[in-house]
């Protein structure tokens, strides 16, 4: 009986281990770091929103990460007219498919989508965006360590530089980019934090609410207990 119970308890762990053969680098947790999230939003709007939409995310929700509507209007609103609009793009899906062989998916909930497959969507994205390497066999000239034969070109290559896949299956920087490798990783960390935030803008609030509820219950318990003692004290 004990063995069966143990097996049942461990089953989800085994299932998880089987799915996660890929080595993923750990994304830094910047879910409460407003400057990082703001930088991530800036990178996203500048480098990703040309091809990918985030059509469930409204620009004015950027006020959740500490920006004012005016700042959003002045700095981030290239692809829309009003801050109440969602992050859509002008490119037609059919054209995109023809150009890249695959249509760039909407990225609003990408962290959650990849998270259900790999345990942590943030880690997958962090590894993906740092895992492009030169591959002349590909139409775009690029391949990726966690997304084999990806249709997306390495749009951040000027910043990261060029990597090559070595015979030892490790990436090596062959041409430096504008950023040092730690700087590039830091920027991708910010971008991934923002991508994660978009999929779950209420996550931080929900965690805080959970703590408040627990404190409330603890306080309630003290009072209920005192009240119970008060009620029962004459009966004994
Ligand atoms: C030039 C157009 C283009 C730009 C710019 C671009 N992408 Fe992509 N992206 C694509 C295409 C096309 C695919 C689909 C690849 C496939 O399915 O083979 C893709 C796929 C992806 C995926 C994988 C989605 C999945 O299926 O899980 C992620 C994540 C992603 N892009 C993130 C980004 C981010 C972040 C940026 C900004 C730094 C960005 N992309 C900029 C074209 C683009």
């Amino acid at each position: 009986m004990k063995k069966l119970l143990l097996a049942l308890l461990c089953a989800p762990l085994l299932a998880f281990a089987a799915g996660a053969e890929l080595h993923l680098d750990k994304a830094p947790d910047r879910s409460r770091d407003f400057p990082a999230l703001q930088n991530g939003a800036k990178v996203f709007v500048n480098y990703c929103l040309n091809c990918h939409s985030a059509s469930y995310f409204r620009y004015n929700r950027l006020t959740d990460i500490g920006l004012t509507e005016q700042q959003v209007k002045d700095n981030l609103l290239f692809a829309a007219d009003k801050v109440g609009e969602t992050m859509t793009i002008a490119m037609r899906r059919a054209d995109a498919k023809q150009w890249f062989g695959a249509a760039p998916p909407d990225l609003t909930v990408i962290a959650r989508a990849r998270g259900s497959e790999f345990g942590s969507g943030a880690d997958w994205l962090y590894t993906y965006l740092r895992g492009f390497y030169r591959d002349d066999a590909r139409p775009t000239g690029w391949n990726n360590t966690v997304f084999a034969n990806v249709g997306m070109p390495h749009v951040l290559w000027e910043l990261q530089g060029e990597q090559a896949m070595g015979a030892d299956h490790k990436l090596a920087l062959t041409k430096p980019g504008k950023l040092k490798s730690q700087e590039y990783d830091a920027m991708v960390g910010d971008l991934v934090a923002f991508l994660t935030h978009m999929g779950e803008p209420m996550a931080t609030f929900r965690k805080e609410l959970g703590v408040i509820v627990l404190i409330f219950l603890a306080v309630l318990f003290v009072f209920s207990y005192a009240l119970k003692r008060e009620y029962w004290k004459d009966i004994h």
Side-chain angles (χ1 to χ4, degrees):
M1 188 62 202
K2 246 189 196 160
K3 261 192 193 148
L4 181 73
L5 232 113
L6 198 71
L8 278 176
L9 281 173
C10 294
L13 287 177
L14 292 176
F16 176 71
E21 289 149 11
L22 279 176
H23 169 78
L24 298 181
D25 296 332
K26 186 108 198 67
D29 178 10
R30 296 185 181 153
S31 55
R32 289 151 178 277
D33 182 341
F34 279 10
L37 287 165
Q38 291 170 9
N39 187 40
K42 195 177 92 192
V43 176
F44 180 72
V45 169
N46 280 293
Y47 288 97
C48 317
L49 208 52
N50 331 346
C51 293
H52 294 276
S53 55
S55 44
Y56 304 99
F57 191 82
R58 284 178 201 287
Y59 286 93
N60 56 11
R61 291 301 296 273
L62 291 169
T63 51
D64 290 351
I65 55 171
L67 293 167
T68 65
E69 290 210 349
Q70 197 58 45
Q71 283 173 319
V72 174
K73 263 188 209 156
D74 293 346
N75 303 308
L76 298 169
L77 212 60
F78 307 129
D81 303 321
K82 300 200 187 73
V83 288
E85 285 178 42
T86 60
M87 292 183 163
T88 50
I89 48 165
M91 187 166 43
R92 290 175 50 232
R93 273 187 79 79
D95 289 340
K97 193 146 189 211
Q98 205 175 0
W99 293 332
F100 305 111
D106 190 275
L107 292 184
T108 320
V109 294
I110 188 66
R112 271 199 274 166
R114 286 294 179 176
S116 63
E117 196 179 345
F118 293 102
S120 163
D123 293 354
W124 187 86
L125 287 165
Y126 186 65
T127 313
Y128 170 70
L129 292 166
R130 290 156 53 259
F132 283 91
Y133 63 91
R134 272 278 171 221
D135 182 352
D136 293 336
R138 299 292 309 153
T140 57
W142 297 100
N143 212 326
N144 191 278
T145 48
V146 291
F147 194 145
N149 300 332
V150 66
M152 174 171 148
H154 185 13
V155 297
L156 299 171
W157 73 273
E158 280 193 319
L159 303 176
Q160 186 185 25
E162 288 185 18
Q163 300 187 115
M165 178 62 81
D168 55 355
H169 296 287
K170 288 209 178 97
L171 292 176
L173 197 68
T174 47
K175 239 185 238 168
K178 284 186 191 151
L179 299 181
K180 292 198 192 81
S181 108
Q182 306 96 294
E183 292 170 340
Y184 181 75
D185 289 356
M187 186 199 75
V188 171
D190 291 354
L191 174 59
V192 168
F194 178 69
L195 290 170
T196 311
H197 168 82
M198 260 200 309
E200 238 177 306
M202 300 311 278
T204 311
F205 171 71
R206 218 167 47 216
K207 281 179 207 154
E208 276 164 10
L209 186 67
V211 174
I212 293 170
V213 167
L214 286 179
I215 294 172
F216 173 78
L217 287 177
V219 172
L220 188 70
F221 173 77
V222 173
F223 280 106
S224 318
Y225 188 69
L227 196 64
K228 174 202 165 261
R229 301 235 331 202
E230 185 61 28
Y231 276 148
W232 287 86
K233 72 170 189 275
D234 299 331
I235 294 175
H236 289 297

